[in-house]
């Protein structure tokens, strides 16, 4: 009767508070937004230094929010790439974003390929420990059903950025910020699509405010290695006692010894 509920995830939504005040907002909403904006700018000054703070705020705003993501092999380095962009390290942010895309692909292939030994793609990948030719890795992961089509498309777009950034192009001297921002947004789109902690991914079902892994997906390699480690196996009666400083879940309840569908789980959870 239990399902895996996503509990461990990462995000940064502060960029939303930097958006301009809208005329149609209620006065109280405007006032609260201005307060949040001032608080965010103060926090950015403490984090990145007050020198050239206007430029840093603009950079942070243009990055947009860091997407809700389960903890995997990208969170730490995406933070570093974003930080580099904020302080004006545009070329390091550009090359870092491209390198992170390659690292994600490598990690996914190495983690998941042995589950697909019967596939024709496996023959192209089983001997290697790293893959600098992205199309082969992208095509394999997509054909195995481990990479969502939209994420595969974003990876191909990022590969174009990567080839342009790594190989010498004189124009990069003048548009490094624009190229870096494009690369980071593509990485964030990949994370939001493939590793999101919330959303319409085919392996999720939802109760309002809660995300669970569908029973039929629990044995899939991608889910076993990346999503279940960020989850807790809980029944429909469970209670979250605390979220800060750590997550405490109370699930000391009696459950019937039977299988239920995801739809039944939702009904029981909502009833609870």
């Amino acid at each position: 009767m239990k399902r895996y509920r996503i509990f461990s995830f990462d995000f940064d939504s502060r960029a939303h508070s930097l958006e301009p005040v809208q005329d149609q907002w209620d006065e109280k909403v405007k006032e609260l937004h201005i307060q949040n904006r001032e608080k965010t700018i103060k926090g950015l000054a403490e984090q990145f230094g007050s020198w050239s703070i206007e430029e840093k705020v603009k950079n942070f705003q243009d990055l947009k929010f860091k997407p809700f993501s389960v903890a995997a092999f990208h969170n730490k380095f995406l933070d570093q790439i974003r930080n580099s962009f904020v302080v004006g390290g545009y070329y390091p942010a550009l090359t870092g974003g491209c390198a992170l895309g390659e690292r994600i692909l490598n990690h996914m292939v190495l983690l998941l390929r042995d589950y697909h030994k019967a596939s024709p793609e496996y023959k192209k990948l089983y001997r290697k420990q790293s893959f600098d030719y992205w199309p082969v890795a992208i095509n394999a992961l997509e054909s195995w059903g481990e990479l969502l089509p939209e994420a595969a498309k974003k990876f191909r777009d990022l590969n174009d950025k990567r080839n342009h950034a790594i190989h010498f192009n004189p124009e990069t001297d003048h548009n490094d910020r624009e190229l870096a921002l494009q690369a980071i947004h593509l990485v964030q789109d990949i994370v939001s699509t493939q590793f999101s902690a919330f959303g319409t991914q085919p392996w999720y079902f939802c109760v309002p405010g809660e995300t669970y892994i569908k029973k039929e997906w629990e044995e899939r390699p991608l889910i076993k290695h990346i999503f279940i480690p960020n989850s807790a196996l809980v029944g429909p009666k469970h209670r979250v006692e605390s979220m800060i400083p750590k997550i405490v879940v109370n699930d000391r309840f009696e459950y019937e010894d039977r299988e239920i569908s995801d739809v039944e789980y939702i009904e029981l959870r909502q009833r609870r």
Side-chain angles (χ1 to χ4, degrees):
M1 292 187 69
K2 295 188 176 185
R3 294 293 187 274
Y4 287 98
R5 177 179 170 182
I6 300 293
F7 274 113
S8 179
F9 54 87
D10 173 45
F11 71 99
D12 186 343
S13 61
R14 288 179 294 168
H16 286 313
S17 67
L18 299 174
E19 296 296 326
V21 171
Q22 302 297 311
D23 292 337
Q24 68 271 21
W25 290 352
D26 181 89
E27 290 303 317
K28 290 184 178 180
V29 174
K30 290 180 181 178
E31 183 180 348
L32 180 61
H33 184 79
I34 292 171
Q35 291 175 0
N36 288 337
R37 177 182 173 84
E38 292 174 351
K39 182 179 178 181
T40 296
I41 292 173
K42 181 180 178 181
L44 292 175
E46 292 174 352
Q47 182 177 357
F48 297 107
S50 57
W51 179 81
S52 194
I53 187 60
E54 294 83 5
E55 180 182 348
K56 292 172 182 175
V57 169
K58 179 67 166 60
N59 287 345
F60 189 83
Q61 182 178 358
D62 287 349
L63 282 175
K64 300 181 180 179
F65 71 92
K66 186 172 69 172
F68 286 91
S69 167
V70 295
F73 27 77
H74 57 266
N75 306 74
K76 172 183 175 181
F77 297 124
L78 180 55
D79 266 342
Q80 294 176 8
I81 291 163
R82 285 171 57 90
N83 291 346
S84 180
F85 184 88
V86 171
V87 299
Y90 303 131
Y91 189 70
L94 168 61
T95 55
C98 297
L100 180 56
E102 188 166 310
R103 184 176 181 85
I104 293 171
L105 280 176
N106 273 268
H107 207 137
M108 289 185 71
V109 170
L110 294 175
L111 195 63
L112 305 172
R113 65 181 173 184
D114 284 350
Y115 292 93
H116 304 279
K117 292 182 177 180
S119 70
E121 293 83 8
Y122 181 77
K123 297 176 183 177
K124 302 176 183 178
L125 299 168
Y126 78 101
R127 290 181 181 274
K128 295 184 177 181
Q129 294 304 308
S130 64
F131 315 94
D132 55 7
Y133 186 63
W134 291 30
V136 171
I138 296 169
N139 292 342
L141 288 166
E142 188 176 20
S143 69
W144 294 339
E146 306 287 7
L147 189 63
L148 293 175
E150 181 61 22
K153 178 182 181 300
K154 296 296 183 181
F155 265 119
R156 293 186 179 102
D157 292 342
L158 183 60
N159 186 40
D160 292 339
K161 301 295 181 187
R162 179 254 189 198
N163 291 338
H164 189 83
I166 299 303
H167 302 296
F168 180 74
N169 287 285
E171 62 268 26
T172 303
D173 290 346
H174 308 288
N175 63 356
D176 53 332
R177 185 185 190 277
E178 177 186 353
L179 292 173
L181 197 58
Q182 291 172 359
I184 295 170
H185 284 165
L186 283 170
V187 173
Q188 292 180 165
D189 288 345
I190 290 167
V191 169
S192 181
T193 301
Q194 187 68 33
F195 302 102
S196 178
F198 307 92
T200 59
Q201 285 72 14
W203 47 81
Y204 284 149
F205 71 87
C206 297
V207 176
E210 303 171 0
T211 303
Y212 299 85
I213 295 170
K214 293 178 180 177
K215 185 69 174 179
E216 65 187 88
W217 280 82
E218 288 180 3
E219 294 302 316
R220 301 284 189 97
L222 175 76
I223 303 304
K224 289 173 65 175
H225 285 282
I226 296 175
F227 290 89
I228 286 180
N230 289 284
S231 309
L233 187 62
V234 292
K237 298 179 184 179
H238 77 275
R239 294 201 304 259
V240 178
E241 306 284 3
S242 173
M243 292 293 289
I244 299 174
K246 66 177 182 177
I247 298 170
V248 177
V249 179
N250 176 8
D251 197 27
R252 297 189 295 273
F253 301 98
E254 294 291 332
Y255 293 106
E256 297 177 57
D257 185 17
R258 65 183 180 92
E259 290 287 337
I260 62 172
S261 68
D262 296 335
V263 172
E264 287 179 280
Y265 188 98
I266 293 172
E267 292 173 350
L268 290 170
R269 183 65 178 158
Q270 289 179 325
R271 199 178 305 162
R272 176 68 181 177

